[in-house]
Amino acid sequence: MAEKLAQRPSSVLKVVLFGPESTGKTTLAEMLAKHYNTLWVEEFMRDYLQEKWDNEQRVCELKDMIPIAEGQIKRENALTKKANKLLISDTDLLELKVYSEAYYEGFCDPQLLKHALNNIYDLYFLTYIDVPWTPDDLRDKPEDRIGMFKRFEAALKNSKKPYVILKGDLEERFKTAVNKIDELLKNK
């Protein structure tokens, strides 16, 4: 299992959209990938859990966390080989760690935890909760947005990951992200 959670080495610059549900990560990931003419890693958890909901009317369970993590890193590793100088990820294993601990009484599978902390990204964009919450089949914490945001920020701080908080409307977030990515590309 450990090998299935390992990030493959690469010289590609990697950035992650990271944060609570319904904060615009997917939209921004798509926009950034288009702007830089590169690829983006879609969130495996959304596809996996939507299928589970559609087929079984069941939500995420602890036993789903490792298959979700494996699917996410498999997508990332495959797209890393095809990306130009930059890869945008709409989540990572650290985000799965946060959700696991939030939903399962502080528990995170040790292998997931290990790779969540050891996998390397050049920058995280932590999306703030100043956009409207949009319900769907999978989102379930509209009343705890600030609490979830604090969990995500604590995960970045505690693991000493480089991050920038994205606030404001989509245009403002996009502009901030582009400026930061341009700096990274210039310095790489």
Side-chain angles (χ1 to χ4, degrees):
M1 171 179 53
E3 205 43 42
K4 290 183 179 182
L5 297 179
Q7 191 180 47
R8 300 291 177 252
S10 171
S11 62
V12 170
L13 185 81
K14 293 182 179 183
V15 298
V16 179
L17 280 293
F18 186 81
E21 63 187 10
S22 194
T23 55
K25 297 183 298 286
T26 301
T27 301
L28 195 51
E30 287 181 275
M31 288 174 66
L32 289 168
K34 183 176 181 180
H35 178 80
Y36 288 101
N37 192 32
T38 192
L39 301 173
W40 67 287
V41 184
E42 294 184 46
E43 181 184 20
F44 184 81
M45 179 167 56
R46 174 154 288 281
D47 295 338
Y48 179 99
L49 292 178
Q50 187 66 57
E51 184 176 319
K52 182 173 182 164
W53 178 258
D54 292 345
N55 293 336
E56 305 170 32
Q57 296 290 294
R58 295 175 59 123
V59 297
C60 190
E61 300 169 86
L62 182 57
K63 68 180 182 178
D64 295 318
M65 296 308 290
I66 292 299
I68 290 170
E70 289 173 351
Q72 185 66 39
I73 205 70
K74 181 178 179 182
R75 279 185 179 178
E76 179 186 315
N77 286 333
L79 291 174
T80 297
K81 296 176 195 173
K82 299 175 184 177
N84 63 24
K85 60 190 178 265
L86 173 67
L87 183 67
I88 312 290
S89 290
D90 179 12
T91 198
D92 75 332
L93 299 190
L94 188 61
E95 185 156 320
L96 296 178
K97 171 205 173 296
V98 172
Y99 278 120
S100 182
E101 291 173 348
Y103 282 82
Y104 306 113
E105 301 174 0
F107 178 79
C108 181
D109 181 281
Q111 287 299 313
L112 173 54
L113 178 61
K114 173 186 168 188
H115 291 285
L117 298 176
N118 290 339
N119 287 352
I120 297 171
Y121 299 90
D122 295 279
L123 185 62
Y124 284 79
F125 289 115
L126 176 58
T127 52
Y128 195 62
I129 57 169
D130 58 346
V131 294
W133 189 84
T134 306
D136 69 14
D137 291 340
L138 304 176
R139 295 176 179 154
D140 67 347
K141 290 209 178 277
E143 74 291 339
D144 190 28
R145 295 184 86 197
I146 191 68
M148 288 303 290
F149 178 83
K150 288 178 180 178
R151 284 177 179 268
F152 280 95
E153 187 168 31
L156 291 169
K157 285 180 178 179
N158 293 339
S159 58
K160 298 179 175 43
K161 304 286 187 186
Y163 73 97
V164 171
I165 297 174
L166 297 180
K167 291 185 174 182
D169 63 19
L170 184 59
E171 183 178 323
E172 188 176 345
R173 290 170 183 230
F174 179 75
K175 184 178 176 182
T176 300
V178 166
N179 287 338
K180 293 298 181 182
I181 291 171
D182 285 352
E183 280 179 37
L184 287 172
L185 289 169
K186 181 180 169 186
N187 295 325
K188 185 134 179 140

